[in-house]
């Protein structure tokens, strides 16, 4: 039983390892977009929820994309990150036990006035599929990071100083 538990823990740990690398890429993108230094970067990325960071990256990559191919790539990459996060929630929020060389996950989910028991068995092959998906996501996120540019600062002071404001100020001086 100890060897089976060790194998199950290894699969779950390896899943979290790969997901952690995906999240590091998202953090790297946020740091680049905001042009943060090594002190501010971890503070900002550690203070923002995962989904918010992905949405920020998606919007920042999609808006300035120069062609439909880059826009589709940015959208698909971020959709894939969200999809793997849904899978991560199963792994992280479930109890688990070894099961026939794989892992059995169990958790109770109460949502929208209903309670359901989520009881899934993942084989070693299913874990391998998820590992491959996350490795590909790392590569895709590296490409996405290359496409994105730091967010241009907005000159808030100048934004309100348009010709209408100038003319109103001149009119009041009369």
């Amino acid at each position: 039983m100890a060897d089976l538990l060790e194998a199950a823990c290894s699969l779950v740990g390896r899943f979290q390892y790969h997901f952690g690398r995906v999240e590091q890429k998202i953090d790297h993108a946020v740091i680049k977009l905001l042009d943060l230094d090594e002190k501010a970067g971890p503070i900002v990325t550690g203070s923002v929820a995962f989904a918010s960071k992905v949405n920020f990256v998606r919007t920042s990559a999609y808006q300035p994309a120069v062609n439909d191919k880059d826009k589709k790539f940015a959208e698909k990459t971020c959709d894939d990150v969200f999809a793997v996060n849904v899978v991560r929630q199963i792994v992280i929020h479930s109890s688990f036990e070894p099961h026939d060389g794989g892992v059995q996950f169990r958790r109770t989910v109460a949502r929208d006035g209903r309670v359901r028991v989520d009881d899934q068995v993942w084989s070693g092959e299913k874990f391998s599929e998820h590992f491959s998906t996350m490795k590909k996501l790392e590569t895709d996120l590296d490409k996405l990071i290359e496409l994105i540019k730091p967010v241009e600062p907005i000159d808030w002071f100048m934004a309100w100083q348009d010709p209408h404001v100038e003319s109103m100020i001149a009119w009041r001086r009369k």
Side-chain angles (χ1 to χ4, degrees), residues 3 5-6 36 38 63-65 80 90 93 99 102 118 120 134 137 141 151 155 162 164 174:
D3 289 341
L5 180 59
E6 187 69 31
L36 300 172
E38 63 275 355
Q63 291 296 356
D80 291 347
I90 295 166
H93 297 293
H99 187 274
D118 190 6
Q120 300 183 28
M134 288 185 279
L137 265 177
L141 286 166
V151 175
D155 191 345
D162 64 20
H164 301 292
K174 290 181 183 180

Side-chain angles (χ1 to χ4, degrees), residues 54-65:
V54 177
N55 277 325
F56 175 66
V57 170
R58 176 199 314 259
T59 304
S60 298
Y62 186 84
Q63 291 296 356

Side-chain angles (χ1 to χ4, degrees), residues 3-172:
D3 289 341
L4 294 175
L5 180 59
E6 187 69 31
C9 289
S10 179
L11 289 169
V12 169
R14 189 167 172 205
F15 181 95
Q16 189 56 23
Y17 165 80
H18 286 292
F19 185 85
R21 292 182 57 88
V22 168
E23 187 164 12
Q24 283 179 329
K25 299 293 181 179
I26 295 295
D27 289 352
H28 182 102
V30 169
I31 289 167
K32 180 179 179 180
L33 284 165
L34 297 177
D35 198 23
L36 300 172
D37 63 27
E38 63 275 355
K39 281 178 121 178
I43 294 168
V44 170
T45 58
S47 301
V48 178
F50 181 77
S52 295
K53 292 187 286 189
V54 177
N55 277 325
F56 175 66
V57 170
R58 176 199 314 259
T59 304
S60 298
Y62 186 84
Q63 291 296 356
V66 294
N67 58 54
D68 286 341
K69 181 182 172 191
D70 288 348
K71 287 182 184 225
K72 287 178 184 173
F73 176 74
E75 189 71 25
K76 181 179 180 340
T77 301
C78 291
D79 285 347
D80 291 347
V81 170
F82 277 122
V84 80
N85 188 50
V86 170
V87 174
R88 179 198 64 87
Q89 291 173 8
I90 295 166
V91 175
I92 297 305
H93 297 293
S94 298
S95 62
F96 67 92
E97 297 291 332
H99 187 274
D100 292 335
V103 177
Q104 181 169 22
F105 294 102
R106 286 192 184 105
R107 76 178 178 154
T108 302
V109 179
R111 187 175 295 135
D112 301 325
R114 295 188 178 98
V115 176
R116 69 177 173 83
V117 176
D118 190 6
D119 189 353
Q120 300 183 28
V121 176
W122 289 11
S123 65
E125 292 80 28
K126 185 163 184 165
F127 274 100
S128 291
E129 290 171 15
H130 290 304
F131 302 156
S132 294
T133 297
M134 288 185 279
K135 285 179 188 177
K136 182 181 180 315
L137 265 177
E138 282 186 65
T139 302
D140 289 348
L141 286 166
D142 282 336
K143 292 176 188 171
L144 188 61
I145 290 167
E146 288 298 317
L147 290 174
I148 60 178
K149 309 254 186 299
V151 175
E152 293 294 323
I154 298 171
D155 191 345
W156 293 104
F157 179 74
M158 295 304 290
W160 66 270
Q161 285 187 328
D162 64 20
H164 301 292
V165 173
E166 290 293 328
S167 64
M168 286 180 64
I169 291 171
W171 178 77
R172 290 187 124 186

